[in-house]
Amino acid sequence: MDKPVLSLVSPLHAVPDIGKKRAEKLELAGYRTVLDLLYCFPFRYEDRRAAPSIRQLVPGTPAGFLARVRDIRKKNLRSSRVPVIEADLEDGSGGIRAVWFGQEYLLKTLPPGSIGFFFGKPEISAYDGLLNLRSPVVEKMDEEKKGQKSFHVNRIVPIYHESHGLTSSFFRKTIGLVLTSLWGNTFEPLPPSVLSRLEITGWFPAIVGMHFPQTLPVNGDPDSLLLPDYPPRKRFVFEELFFLEFLMGYKKREIRLSSRERIRQIPDDEGVTFAGSLPYALTAAQKRACREIAEDMSRTSPMNRLLLGDVGSGKTVVAAWGVYLSFRAGLQSALMAPTEVLAQQHHVSLKALLEPHGIRTALLTQSVRKSEKRALMEAVHRGEVDFVVGTHALIQDALVFSSLGYIVVDEQHKFGVEQRKNLIQKGGNPDVLVMTATPIPRSLALSYFGDLDLSVLDERPPGRQPVRTEIVSKNRLESFWDECVDPVLGRGEQVFVVYSLIEESQEENIKDATTMHGILSRKWPSVCTGLLTGKMPWEEKASVMEDFRSGKIRLLVSTTVVEVGVDIPGATVMVVENAERFGLAQLHQLRGRIGRGSLPGMCYLIPGVDASREATGRLEILVRTEDGFVVAEEDLRLRGPGEFIGTRQSGLPMFQVANLVRDVDILLLAREQASMFLEPSPNDLIEHSWEWTTLMNFVQNRYPGVQEWLMIR
Ligand code: ADP
Ligand code: MG
């Protein structure tokens, strides 16, 4: 057999037409190997199949054609303030004149002799009767070698994002040449067993189809090639989702196959004892989650579970149940929260739930005094504390547990990979429960969080007050504070006012917390107001929070530091200014801070004066629904998955062609196929199969961060 000149793993400088300098630029753009380059997909296509020669151009009909620049010059016309650039174009069949206004750089980029693809509307010039092309779009071709022209015209042509000075036509030509030399390649990263079950285009034909489509679907619109109805694209959508589901399933399986240091026994009646000690009856959803946790904890492998629930769905007590079970098994627990305020609050509510059972609970944050801290850490080390609640202060090396068996991470996305790893390493392959106050859309829970088992609290405890949401229109703005806030303060209720900025900034018409705190406290001189921002030292933050909780402060002006978990029963009104600057899920989170007492809540969203209609319209969903999952779904659609994922899954790729909103069906298919691939025999070393090796190597090669991700829970 002939040895192929190029292989998929060849470095790009080995590709004859690239050369060292461009290979360096490509590397800067993130492409190291031939394979990387082949996965640089075009972002759209142009139908240039009918590209005419210059002689065939028809005045008045827009068209694109390939031509050489014979001459290009600058003209200063008296009638025009901008210089006119004029070029004579020719293609062997005839000539045409192109004219641009003010685009002087063309003198440099299109010198005589250069070749370009021009698109515009030819017209007969009223001045001299010659064929003229006004301001055509131009795509410059790199020095053409014979035969390469075919990549750029007379076909459906891929258009690539330009990057690091590399043009779309450079990518097109280079990828075209690489594909030519790899022609007939039979590589296939997907397992044959999976392929044979599905109708999926093979790897190489699909790669070719992504770069150089042969035909357009029925309606003839090149944009239809951007949808997964186009088989080559469908293959890569599936591939991406399959890789992700494979990684998730693999990690999950690794955890399943590992065992915790200490096995526990869970007596049947524990649930009754615990539930009996609570001031309320658990909801059906809470009971289900508690059962799932108890089942996890009675296995030999550790728990790795995500507890999903909207604000106020009662996650705390479910987390507490795990602490209780661990305590009964002689194990310590830890809960890590992202902020001081939240840790303090968790400490108060969890202590109330757990102390009646004799569980010794402590708080460890940076605000704990040094001497106290030392005593506390010693107690934890000696096993005299059963449950530590804290911030990232829990991660410090000096804190050593005697038998840490259960870890709760609240607001997981606020912590870095290292932080989680460090805490988990303090236990002996411990049980982990991660909680999030932002509901995660189902498609995300099944993909990016697919390594975790899922418990969902889809039911609110009874007695929670409704929160109405209203968008304050511009014409009501003037009277807003007097009409909507003044009476509330008059009744002695408490008000949150939230801003996106701490201090005045360069940005015009964006209000900030500090300035507005000044204005609002002058407006209500007899009302005690407070200011809370992320910039303040923790002592000050804690004392402001305490004064707000106790009811001394009645109007709290803040940034999003109040976002997570804060529980102020007396707060009934929330005002968010420049609401368009926040994500929907974040706004939902914010409004979850009110209506936590005996009175219903009211949330006012005030769009900034410069907010677009679109940005304001997006807020409507918050008016329509109080369901956090619906809001999260919409947020995912508008802003993509980034915000939900945070750092938890760092090292994993973001999608290139798949879309978690559009491609849910393909996601479910990929998930099913990945689990069939991983499942057949949990005790067999599927790792040694050829299929497995091919897949794993490929995934690790494509996504260099994956190896590390796999190591961390
Ligand atoms: P989350 O953390 O999910 O936002 P919390 O755990 O803070 O919610 O619970 C919100 C409030 O509901 C708390 O005051 C809690 O005591 C109360 N609660 C939780 N479960 C129930 C229940 N089953 N019945 C009545 N109240 C409950
Ligand atoms: Mg909570």
Side-chain angles (χ1 to χ4, degrees), residues 140 148 286 536 556 661:
K140 196 193 165 190
Q148 292 172 14
Q286 284 171 322
M536 288 160 45
L556 182 67
V661 176

Side-chain angles (χ1 to χ4, degrees), residues 280-283 286 309-317 346 457 461-462 464 567 596:
Y280 41 73
L282 293 174
T283 64
Q286 284 171 322
D310 204 345
V311 208
S313 58
K315 293 183 286 291
T316 316
V317 67
H346 270 309
L457 300 184
R464 231 186 107 85
D567 210 351
R596 294 178 87 116

Side-chain angles (χ1 to χ4, degrees), residues 14 26 78 234 240 256 302 345 524 546 553 563 589 604 631 653:
L26 281 166
R78 231 176 302 146
K234 181 170 181 187
E240 265 183 7
R256 275 276 154 75
Q345 199 170 281
W524 288 290
E546 194 34 54
I553 290 178
E563 186 182 339
Q589 255 285 304
Y604 296 101
V631 174

Side-chain angles (χ1 to χ4, degrees), residues 445-458:
L446 294 179
S447 54
Y448 275 101
F449 295 90
D451 56 329
L452 300 162
D453 290 308
L454 206 59
S455 290
V456 186
L457 300 184
D458 49 9

Side-chain angles (χ1 to χ4, degrees), residues 500-547:
S500 61
L501 297 176
I502 298 179
E503 283 159 356
E504 208 174 332
S505 79
Q506 306 285 17
E507 291 175 272
E508 258 175 75
N509 290 331
I510 309 288
K511 296 187 179 168
D512 67 277
T514 309
T515 309
M516 285 308 292
H517 174 247
I519 292 174
L520 294 174
S521 53
R522 280 193 297 278
K523 181 170 176 63
W524 288 290
S526 62
V527 170
C528 180
T529 60
L531 175 67
L532 186 75
T533 70
K535 243 191 183 173
M536 288 160 45
W538 63 262
E539 297 97 330
E540 234 175 281
K541 264 193 248 175
S543 103
V544 170
M545 260 343 276
E546 194 34 54
D547 287 349

